[in-house]
Amino acid sequence: MNHEKIIILDFGGQYAHLIASRIRRLGVLAEIMLPRETTATDLADDSIRGIILSGGPQSVFADDSPQTDNEIFALGKPVLGLCYGHQYFAQALGGKVAPGTTGEFGRSEFTQDGKCPIFKNVPEKSVVWMNHVDAVETFAPGFEICGTTPHCATAAAWDSSRNFFSLQCHVEVTHTEFGEKMLENFLDLCGCSRDWSVEKFYQEQEKKLLEKVGDKNVFLFVSGGVDSTVTFALLTKVLGADRVRGLFVDTGLLRQGEVSQVEKSIRAIGADLTTLREADYFLKKLAGQTDPEQKRETIGHAFLDVQQEFFKKNGLDESWLLAQGTIYPDTIESGGTKNAAKIKTHHNRAPEVQKLIDAGKVIEPVAELYKDEVRALGELLGLPHELVWRHPFPGPGLGVRILCSDENFDETLVEKIDAFTMQPKKRPFVQLPIKSVGVQGDFRTYRHPAVLTSIPGEKTIDNLEKFSTKLINHYDEINRCTLLLGKNYDGNISKISVKKCDLSPERVARLQAADAVVTRLLREMNAYEKVWQFPVVLLPIFFNSVGSETIVLRPVDSIDAMSASVGKLSWEFFDRAAKEILENDPEISAVLLDCTSKPPGTIEWE
Ligand code: XMP
């Protein structure tokens, strides 16, 4: 079925995916396209009912500011411009944008004049979320101003004859009080009947899969995570268990008890699962490796070795297709995250897999869905609640949560003297002599984490996160900030040691034990579903010569993993987790809480 659609031209940043997932939740299929590569002809199809110009991090004055084919404005379709899209709209059609100096960030009071239909059932005054420096000075002919904020006299405008709507605010963020209402009104103005839902996707996917797979059989690697399990369940339901073979690889890098848990829940849905016990193989291949990308690559190659060995032994020939649980954000090379592939190598796009993709031998049945939609599909397929709502877990597993080092060294903390002022440097933190990955301005950074030994100001996660952002913005060499939650050493930090180590079975077991404490407490304290993901990370460092490793807790709130904030759990939770981890294992020198949002930190540490 050819669904009615809204196209979002992705001018960068994280906004486009957020807009698309909001619109889909309102029952209309939304798809993302790249402005530079999209022409008016591409958008001419009748099924495309409206166009949204997304926000983006750039200024319209930048040399390489994203542009699109302005003939799209002559298609006669409703268009909604948001933030950068609002300014682009004005500039493209003959208005004027003025470069700003101070900007308007976060909460703002918006007043609308009651005339523009995009504000139907929106009060005269409401809170909107702003994030801009430049502002529209004059709109294009045909537009009239319909909304203002105290800082921005050109916050909203519309052209009634062409159904063009232009808003400086971000309607897609939940902080904009009536943002969803405004999007709903736009869909009405586009004449959308709301013909999209996960149920309909399922019905259509059934037909598509039968056609695509033909008389072939399908195998897939199941990680036990939501995406691959839902893919497995969907394929099993549509093709029958005898044509779908799931391979679950015990890489030795899974969480405690995970192998039996995954086997049990997948067998409960009647699917054909084979567990390949390959922990020794993976850990042997990883021996001696310390570089994050090399580890990832080794894990990816080991997966393929295991797969090929499986084919040899089981006589599966080339007539089998490979299925993967790739989801929508992984498949879209969006405007603002064009470098995403370089930020981290994605498992589902390893070179060998890419060869199979190019040969048409890969099917990715949930590639059009967002995570929340994959979960809804999982529920529709009758998967157990606990499985559907499991936290996402990376393909390389604990392999990316165990940091390694190729050298031993100690750093004694002495007061450093500033070379210019000759005064002792006063820093509110301790800098760790290791590096972790971050993402700043869409580029991968590899910089030092900081440790705060106390909370500056009020003891709230919010405050801590804000302080962390300020600190990272201020110190170039820092891209992550943590708080010291608990320690096994006495006194203040006077020495930090880094231990030469790789990914050994002992270290895996150490992390598994700490991770198991966190998972159990999350369940016991009814907090598991209060965070989106909760990596527990092992660092090869220790303080004041006590213990040999450090644990980091990394709870995050997110919608799609592309941006994240610190998970808002209680201090009681963090204190209990730190206390238990330290009591259980005297080798743990300290427990840290990662209080960095994404950006500037990534969710995982490497
Ligand atoms: P980052 O660390 O980039 O992670 O903020 C975003 C999301 O992706 C997961 N992740 C991975 N998943 N292979 C995967 O299958 C990987 O190499 C990988 N690295 C990160 C991460 O857990 C988070 O949900």
Side-chain angles (χ1 to χ4, degrees):
M1 179 182 164
N2 208 4
H3 286 282
E4 57 184 19
K5 263 186 231 166
I6 297 292
I7 296 298
I8 295 145
L9 292 180
D10 178 5
F11 283 110
Q14 309 297 331
Y15 311 105
H17 280 292
L18 211 52
I19 301 168
S21 67
R22 291 266 180 274
I23 289 182
R24 285 171 177 215
R25 262 180 250 175
L26 292 168
V28 178
L29 181 60
E31 285 180 2
I32 291 174
M33 292 174 79
L34 290 177
R36 272 185 229 279
E37 290 161 21
T38 305
T39 64
T41 321
D42 298 330
L43 301 187
D45 195 276
D46 276 350
S47 65
I48 297 173
R49 297 289 155 84
I51 300 162
I52 296 183
L53 316 174
S54 85
Q58 275 173 298
S59 159
V60 290
F61 298 109
D63 286 344
D64 56 348
S65 64
Q67 308 285 316
T68 194
D69 174 8
N70 289 337
E71 289 302 312
I72 63 166
F73 300 121
L75 288 170
K77 296 182 196 276
V79 182
L80 170 63
L82 299 171
C83 196
Y84 177 92
H86 170 74
Q87 296 172 13
Y88 182 85
F89 218 159
Q91 203 178 50
L93 294 179
K96 194 164 174 243
V97 179
T101 44
T102 52
E104 188 182 24
F105 303 108
R107 185 192 175 90
S108 204
E109 187 164 294
F110 177 70
T111 307
Q112 55 101 4
D113 68 4
K115 290 189 194 138
C116 176
I118 201 135
F119 301 126
K120 190 176 158 195
N121 296 329
V122 174
E124 184 194 350
K125 285 188 187 302
S126 65
V127 170
V128 297
W129 220 247
M130 296 291 226
N131 193 11
H132 68 115
V133 178
D134 300 343
V136 173
E137 195 169 275
T138 51
F139 286 101
F143 277 81
E144 62 180 294
I145 293 179
C146 55
T148 58
T149 69
H151 186 91
C152 182
T154 53
W158 69 307
D159 177 337
S160 57
S161 63
R162 291 187 284 180
N163 256 341
F164 288 168
F165 307 92
S166 198
L167 308 178
Q168 181 60 66
C169 68
H170 286 276
V171 296
E172 68 277 18
V173 302
T174 47
H175 295 89
T176 293
E177 255 184 314
F178 290 88
E180 184 170 297
K181 188 84 233 153
M182 296 175 201
L183 279 178
E184 240 184 302
N185 289 336
F186 180 65
L187 297 181
D188 288 343
L189 289 158
C190 293
C192 292
S193 62
R194 300 177 194 219
D195 65 358
W196 196 87
S197 65
V198 171
E199 286 83 352
K200 289 213 180 105
F201 169 86
Y202 171 47
Q203 288 157 12
E204 290 158 23
Q205 198 59 27
E206 204 171 348
K207 274 193 222 125
K208 276 196 211 163
L209 272 176
L210 287 168
E211 262 170 41
K212 202 159 178 187
V213 176
D215 57 2
K216 294 198 169 91
N217 295 318
V218 179
F219 69 91
L220 78 163
F221 286 107
V222 188
S223 66
V226 184
D227 306 337
S228 63
T229 310
V230 170
T231 303
F232 194 18
L234 174 68
L235 289 166
T236 301
K237 194 138 189 169
V238 173
L239 302 171
D242 53 338
R243 292 180 59 198
V244 187
R245 194 131 192 218
L247 307 182
F248 177 42
V249 183
D250 174 5
T251 58
L253 299 168
L254 298 168
R255 287 164 290 194
Q256 207 173 74
E258 191 154 25
V259 176
S260 53
Q261 220 178 52
V262 169
E263 284 178 331
K264 205 170 114 198
S265 48
I266 285 183
R267 296 220 168 103
I269 58 171
D272 174 8
L273 183 73
T274 306
T275 304
L276 308 172
R277 295 181 194 282
E278 301 289 351
D280 287 349
Y281 183 70
F282 276 77
L283 291 174
K284 222 180 260 164
K285 286 237 153 196
L286 285 162
Q289 296 194 354
T290 55
D291 175 70
E293 279 300 293
Q294 196 190 7
K295 278 159 57 187
R296 260 200 178 74
E297 216 171 277
T298 302
I299 297 169
H301 285 306
F303 262 112
L304 290 161
D305 293 347
V306 166
Q307 173 191 316
Q308 266 151 22
E309 188 61 26
F310 177 84
F311 292 151
K312 257 196 240 152
K313 274 198 194 142
N314 292 275
L316 299 182
D317 59 28
E318 293 235 315
S319 67
W320 283 71
L321 297 178
L322 169 71
Q324 298 199 110
T326 315
I327 64 172
Y328 196 53
D330 304 332
T331 57
I332 288 293
E333 195 190 14
S334 57
T337 48
K338 261 198 144 172
N339 298 304
K342 286 179 212 130
I343 288 167
K344 234 167 255 178
T345 330
H346 201 277
H347 218 74
N348 293 354
R349 293 290 178 270
E352 282 83 351
V353 174
Q354 193 58 50
K355 269 187 231 152
L356 290 173
I357 293 176
D358 296 342
K361 287 183 169 296
V362 174
I363 51 169
E364 299 183 313
V366 296
E368 288 164 38
L369 301 185
Y370 283 104
K371 191 99 188 172
D372 61 328
E373 295 165 339
V374 175
R375 288 193 157 128
L377 179 61
E379 288 194 326
L380 203 70
L381 292 165
L383 291 176
H385 180 88
E386 265 198 22
L387 207 156
V388 168
W389 290 96
R390 286 188 76 182
H391 291 169
F393 189 59
L398 300 181
V400 295
R401 295 182 179 170
I402 299 178
L403 273 67
C404 305
S405 167
D406 53 10
E407 54 178 338
N408 278 314
F409 61 95
D410 294 328
E411 199 175 272
T412 306
L413 294 191
V414 284
E415 223 169 14
K416 287 185 180 142
I417 304 291
D418 189 296
F420 293 104
T421 61
M422 298 305 282
Q423 297 292 318
K425 269 188 190 168
K426 284 242 174 306
R427 290 188 157 202
F429 62 88
V430 174
Q431 183 174 317
L432 294 182
I434 53 163
K435 288 181 180 175
S436 88
V437 175
V439 51
Q440 285 163 289
D442 284 325
F443 285 100
R444 170 203 181 103
T445 60
Y446 205 51
R447 296 181 186 161
H448 297 280
V451 181
L452 305 172
T453 46
S454 63
I455 301 182
E458 204 189 340
K459 192 182 174 185
T460 63
I461 297 290
D462 228 24
N463 189 30
L464 192 59
E465 192 173 5
K466 274 189 203 139
F467 184 80
S468 140
T469 310
K470 249 180 28 203
L471 188 146
I472 294 166
N473 286 342
H474 189 77
Y475 294 98
D476 240 14
E477 62 277 33
I478 304 288
N479 65 355
R480 204 178 273 278
C481 184
T482 66
L483 172 74
L484 179 66
L485 276 179
K487 57 197 178 91
N488 267 334
Y489 59 86
D490 292 328
N492 294 329
I493 301 176
S494 55
K495 188 166 109 179
I496 310 175
S497 309
V498 178
K499 179 178 82 162
K500 179 173 189 250
C501 54
D502 59 3
L503 231 163
S504 64
E506 297 73 37
R507 298 189 77 213
V508 175
R510 169 158 297 133
L511 180 58
Q512 281 175 329
D515 179 81
V517 169
V518 170
T519 306
R520 180 176 45 75
L521 285 178
L522 283 174
R523 297 253 183 240
E524 265 175 36
M525 295 174 77
N526 218 4
Y528 188 85
E529 286 176 28
K530 287 196 183 130
V531 284
W532 190 81
Q533 195 177 13
F534 197 146
V536 180
V537 182
L538 187 65
L539 308 182
I541 58 169
F542 53 101
F543 302 93
N544 298 5
S545 307
V546 174
S548 59
E549 314 242 23
T550 290
I551 287 285
V552 182
L553 309 184
R554 174 67 167 140
V556 292
D557 282 337
S558 180
I559 292 174
D560 47 23
M562 293 199 293
S563 60
S565 58
V566 183
K568 311 282 179 297
L569 296 171
S570 65
W571 289 110
E572 188 200 348
F573 175 88
F574 293 129
D575 293 340
R576 273 180 69 179
K579 188 163 175 277
E580 270 199 48
I581 291 170
L582 289 167
E583 277 172 6
N584 288 353
D585 187 348
E587 285 299 313
I588 305 293
S589 188
V591 176
L592 310 176
L593 171 65
D594 188 343
C595 45
T596 323
S597 55
K598 174 183 177 177
T602 43
I603 293 178
E604 307 288 350
W605 271 54
E606 60 171 40

